[in-house]
Amino acid sequence: MNRSFLPVIFLSLLALPVSADTVFKVVMNVNDEIHSLYEYQQRKTELERSIQAQTNISPARRQELLDNLPKQVFRQMYEELLLLSRARRAGVFVSEEDVDKQIGRIQDRFGIENEEEFQLALAQNGMRIEDLREQTRRQMMIDNLLFQEVSSKIEVPEEVLRRYYRENPDQFTQSEKLRLQEIVVLEDSGLSEDELARIADEVRAAVAAGGDLAKIAETRSSSGETSALIELGWISSGDLSKDLEEAVWDLEVDQISAPVAARGGLHLVQVLEREEAVVLPYTEVSDRIRRREENLRYGKAVGEFMERLESEAWVELDPPPEAVGFRDLGSGTADEKTPPPPPAEASDEDAADPST
């Protein structure tokens, strides 16, 4: 079992030698929510290890990620403090029971079956349960805040959905499909090429005369000349090799293709059913369109929300040299050198109801 189960937000507190200056040096202060240089370095180290461990990216992409990593980490930490500050002012509340349930879901997701395994996983990630609970609480506060102040306010009018459906029929067209079965005259049967071709022609002629391919396959396969009947199921354009697709696509139902040389021998493919291309009805795709529109609007709304939080925040930043210019990775308006005055305290009317 892979014990490295903690997602990015649960960053390890690695036992690396650090100076007191590093531990206590504040690199960002957002409305009195702070992050230290030590926290920045730990997050950067952990994410660098994660990038280095990835095997499904090119060397060029890996280097690009590593080059942007300092700015990316600093920006993530900065946005986290903007959101946490707003969550506290808005009265967002996460109970101990909420944290327990979320940690339980994390254990289930990563196959942690008992407390002993959980403690071992924490130890191998260099984390205490107190650290995990605090990270979990902070992330849940951010999630709850974004729900109550952004996603819960997103509405997509029905006419927007229907208009998108009308204007993009190609996205909702179910392509033509064929249900196929085949038999393969086997090249490893020991027969000559001429004999293989003769058998293929006999099979094709028998089916064309009304024979049942399943029965033909049963008889021929027992002698080792052919495969058993192979059910290919429903096939869309592009699922088969080019030669096989060209051989079957224009056939009528019950017709069988000419022999096609492919892996294993000569393939003869029969069309059992055909479904023509059809535009799916709106009722079947409306939820898909709604999710698309909601995601687009959510992305825009979150960007505007973050810009508003930044414009209203009291911010003091002292990024390490490699993280200077972190706003190039996204929007941002506050001046790193001259922070604006602290915002006024939120009134009771402005604060959102506690959310669980």
Side-chain angles (χ1 to χ4, degrees):
M1 179 185 298
N2 180 7
R3 304 289 183 177
S4 299
F5 71 98
L6 303 179
V8 171
I9 190 63
F10 306 128
L11 298 166
S12 302
L13 300 180
L14 305 175
L16 299 176
V18 293
S19 67
D21 288 344
T22 299
V23 173
F24 295 111
K25 178 177 174 60
V26 174
V27 293
M28 64 177 68
N29 185 337
V30 178
N31 299 330
D32 292 331
E33 301 276 349
I34 65 171
H35 274 313
S36 69
L37 178 61
Y38 176 72
E39 290 173 292
Y40 162 78
Q41 290 178 342
Q42 294 305 100
R43 292 198 184 196
K44 184 163 68 72
T45 297
E46 183 71 12
L47 289 175
E48 183 176 0
R49 289 178 177 177
S50 176
I51 292 170
Q52 294 286 15
Q54 292 183 39
T55 59
N56 59 343
I57 58 175
S58 68
R61 177 57 177 160
R62 177 178 286 106
Q63 190 58 52
E64 180 184 4
L65 292 172
L66 292 173
D67 290 344
N68 287 329
L69 184 60
K71 294 178 182 179
Q72 187 68 51
V73 170
F74 202 83
R75 176 152 197 87
Q76 289 174 352
M77 294 173 65
Y78 175 51
E79 291 179 345
E80 177 186 296
L81 290 194
L82 287 170
L83 290 165
L84 283 173
S85 173
R86 174 59 185 164
R88 296 190 204 283
R89 294 176 63 215
V92 174
F93 175 72
V94 175
S95 68
E96 292 301 311
E97 183 180 0
D98 295 331
V99 174
D100 289 339
K101 290 179 179 178
Q102 181 62 16
I103 290 178
R105 284 190 284 268
I106 293 170
Q107 291 174 284
D108 291 342
R109 187 187 316 152
F110 292 94
I112 307 298
E113 297 179 355
N114 52 54
E115 187 63 24
E116 182 180 355
E117 285 190 0
F118 184 49
Q119 292 296 334
L120 178 60
L122 288 173
Q124 291 181 346
N125 281 272
M127 179 174 278
R128 303 172 302 167
I129 184 62
E130 294 85 356
D131 303 322
L132 176 60
R133 294 186 67 84
E134 180 58 25
Q135 293 283 13
T136 302
R137 180 179 291 103
R138 287 157 69 101
Q139 186 60 47
M140 293 180 72
M141 288 177 65
I142 289 173
D143 292 343
N144 290 350
L145 173 73
L146 289 174
F147 173 77
Q148 77 180 33
E149 298 212 15
V150 182
S151 60
S152 65
K153 299 178 181 179
I154 293 175
E155 296 181 358
V156 183
E158 181 71 12
E159 175 52 30
V160 171
L161 306 180
R162 291 186 176 274
R163 183 169 64 247
Y164 188 85
Y165 176 76
R166 292 193 301 268
E167 294 175 353
N168 299 275
D170 57 311
Q171 294 187 22
F172 312 111
T173 299
Q174 182 173 281
S175 61
E176 184 180 22
K177 296 192 299 183
L178 306 180
R179 188 165 72 87
L180 307 175
Q181 62 184 10
E182 73 169 353
I183 185 174
V184 182
V185 183
L186 301 172
E187 63 184 8
D188 63 359
S189 61
L191 300 174
S192 68
E193 290 186 7
D194 288 344
E195 289 173 316
L196 295 177
R198 175 183 57 79
I199 293 171
D201 288 340
E202 290 176 356
V203 170
R204 189 182 186 209
V207 173
D212 185 338
L213 186 60
K215 292 181 179 179
I216 295 170
E218 184 177 355
T219 300
R220 295 277 187 174
S221 63
S222 63
S223 64
E225 296 174 349
T226 73
S227 68
L229 185 70
I230 302 170
E231 295 284 353
L232 297 178
W234 286 100
I235 300 296
S236 298
S237 180
D239 291 342
L240 297 175
S241 69
K242 181 180 178 181
D243 290 343
L244 282 172
E245 182 171 314
E246 288 179 351
V248 303
W249 210 258
D250 293 329
L251 296 179
E252 300 293 333
V253 171
D254 292 333
Q255 285 187 325
I256 191 167
S257 72
V260 177
R263 185 173 62 180
L266 298 177
H267 294 241
L268 296 106
V269 185
Q270 185 179 29
V271 177
L272 299 176
E273 293 182 76
R274 177 185 295 272
E275 286 189 359
E276 302 296 336
V278 61
V279 177
L280 297 173
Y282 173 76
T283 53
E284 289 188 21
V285 298
S286 59
D287 287 345
R288 187 201 315 174
I289 302 173
R290 185 180 301 279
R291 286 193 297 271
R292 176 191 181 278
E293 291 298 317
E294 286 177 346
N295 287 340
L296 288 173
R297 294 181 182 220
Y298 178 78
K300 180 180 179 182
V302 168
E304 293 172 349
F305 182 59
M306 295 304 299
E307 289 179 2
R308 177 164 65 85
L309 292 185
E310 190 171 28
S311 68
E312 296 172 353
W314 180 85
V315 177
E316 187 172 19
L317 303 173
D318 184 17
E322 71 271 17
V324 170
F326 69 92
R327 286 193 180 89
D328 295 341
L329 301 179
S331 62
T333 57
D335 188 334
E336 294 178 13
K337 296 182 179 179
T338 309
E345 291 293 325
S347 67
D348 292 339
E349 294 180 356
D350 292 334
D353 292 335
S355 171
T356 59

